[in-house]
């Protein structure tokens, strides 16, 4: 047998084996195919499709599988809001009596921007908050405040965050879904999630005492206790050198805001119906 005949014969055998194995694989794939629950695709159509992972699942399909299998509830997706929950409830035939549709948003608890936070260094070459925090590189004396490199902006899937001229994050409440990705990303834990109701908050995370804070930031809480003493409803208590407001007692009178010498306290306003419809 010549070399050419051997090559042709070998190629024929390989081709034949390929066809046999291909048919076999196709047959067994069909026989052993795992049937996916069609409900998954129906749930997926209702979910917002952001694939942000804020729900704890890798994406919307993974969450849809979790809801179908009972590993997740219909209100797990915070991004979808009330409409998504109601549509899922209708699809699955479950009640919504015990489900809260309260809106949550992320709020940065730092006012110490470029013009108000004291500096003790000049930092060059740092691009992210995570790097700056890990290497202990910050221009600001305060070790509790915003580092200002905008890691939170980059992870927000809803374009709800921008860095202002002071180098601090501003969050648009009409776009924010309260997913919490920015909270996880912030190495200083400056951003927190709150229910979006009118409330008074201390916009400061520095838990050091007065003189140390005063030397670091013009708008940090100096633990003077004036807000606690002046509150007519006894709604304010100093905890870890910071004022904590009991929103059940607070009547939003604004006295604490007016008497605060460093203007650390701020009134967080709720969206109007028109603004909320922006989304």
């Amino acid at each position: 047998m010549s070399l050419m005949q051997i090559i042709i014969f070998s190629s024929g055998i390989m081709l034949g084996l390929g066809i046999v194995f291909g048919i076999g694989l196709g047959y067994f794939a069909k026989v052993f195919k795992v049937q996916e629950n069609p409900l998954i695709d129906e749930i997926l159509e209702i979910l917002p499709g952001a694939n942000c992972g804020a729900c704890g699942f890798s994406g919307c399909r993974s969450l849809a599988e979790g809801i179908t299998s009972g590993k997740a509830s219909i209100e797990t997706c915070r991004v979808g809001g009330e409409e998504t929950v109601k549509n899922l409830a209708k699809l699955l035939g479950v009640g919504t009596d015990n489900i809260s549709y309260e809106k949550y948003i992320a709020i940065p608890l730092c006012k110490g921007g470029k013009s108000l936070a004291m500096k003790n260094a000049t930092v060059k070459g740092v691009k992210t908050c995570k790097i700056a925090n890990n290497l202990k590189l910050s221009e600001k004396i305060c070790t509790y405040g915003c580092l200002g490199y905008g890691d939170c902006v980059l992870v927000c899937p809803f374009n709800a965050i921008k860095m202002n001229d002071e180098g601090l994050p501003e969050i648009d409440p009409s776009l924010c879904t309260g997913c919490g990705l920015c909270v996880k990303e912030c190495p200083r834990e400056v951003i927190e999630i709150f229910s979006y109701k009118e409330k008074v908050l201390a916009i400061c995370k520095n838990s050091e005492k007065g003189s140390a804070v005063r030397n670091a930031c013009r708008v940090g809480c100096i633990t003077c206790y004036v807000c606690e003493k002046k509150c007519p409803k006894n709604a304010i208590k100093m905890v870890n050198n910071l004022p904590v407001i009991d929103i059940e007692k607070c009547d939003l009178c604004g006295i604490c805001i007016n008497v605060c010498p460093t203007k650390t306290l701020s009134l967080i306003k709720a969206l109007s119906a028109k603004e909320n419809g922006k989304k």
Side-chain angles (χ1 to χ4, degrees), residues 38-241:
L39 193 59
I40 293 174
D41 286 329
E42 294 182 61
I43 293 174
L44 194 58
E45 288 182 10
I46 295 173
L47 294 174
N51 291 310
C52 60
C55 59
F57 290 82
S58 59
C60 290
R61 173 164 285 276
S62 179
L63 174 57
E65 293 170 355
I67 293 173
T68 304
S69 65
K71 293 179 180 178
S73 63
I74 61 173
E75 69 266 32
T76 299
C77 177
R78 187 179 290 173
V79 173
E82 181 177 350
E83 184 180 359
T84 295
V85 175
K86 286 184 175 179
N87 288 336
L88 288 174
K90 184 177 180 181
L91 172 67
L92 301 173
V94 297
T96 59
D97 293 341
N98 297 321
I99 295 176
S100 170
Y101 301 115
E102 191 170 17
K103 179 178 174 63
Y104 288 83
I105 65 165
I107 298 178
L109 299 181
C110 179
K111 289 184 177 181
K114 295 175 182 177
S115 65
L116 296 172
M118 283 59 162
K119 299 180 180 180
N120 63 356
T122 298
V123 177
K124 294 183 179 180
V126 177
K127 300 294 185 181
T128 71
C129 299
K130 189 173 290 184
I131 291 174
N133 190 64
N134 289 341
L135 297 179
K136 309 297 182 187
L137 295 175
S138 175
E139 295 184 345
K140 299 175 183 177
I141 294 174
C142 180
T143 57
Y144 298 83
C146 175
L147 287 158
Y149 294 102
D151 292 19
C152 53
V153 176
L154 297 176
V155 299
C156 179
F158 308 103
N159 296 317
I161 311 176
K162 67 177 183 179
M163 300 302 288
N164 63 21
D165 293 339
E166 282 290 304
L168 295 174
E170 286 186 0
I171 298 177
D172 185 338
S174 67
L175 297 177
C176 179
T177 63
C179 70
L181 292 180
C182 57
V183 176
K184 294 176 183 177
E185 191 69 13
C186 179
R188 288 276 180 89
E189 299 181 353
V190 169
I191 305 175
E192 294 186 13
I193 299 293
F194 294 90
S195 60
Y196 199 47
K197 295 177 179 178
E198 280 198 315
K199 57 166 66 70
V200 176
L201 283 178
I203 311 300
C204 180
K205 297 281 287 186
N206 195 329
S207 59
E208 295 182 342
K209 291 192 175 180
S211 59
V213 177
R214 193 186 295 276
N215 292 331
C217 183
R218 293 187 179 93
V219 286
C221 176
I222 55 175
T223 325
C224 65
Y225 286 86
V226 172
C227 58
E228 182 179 295
K229 293 172 183 176
K230 295 290 184 180
C231 178
K233 300 293 183 180
N234 295 317
I236 305 177
K237 298 294 179 186
M238 296 299 293
V239 179
N240 197 25
N241 295 322

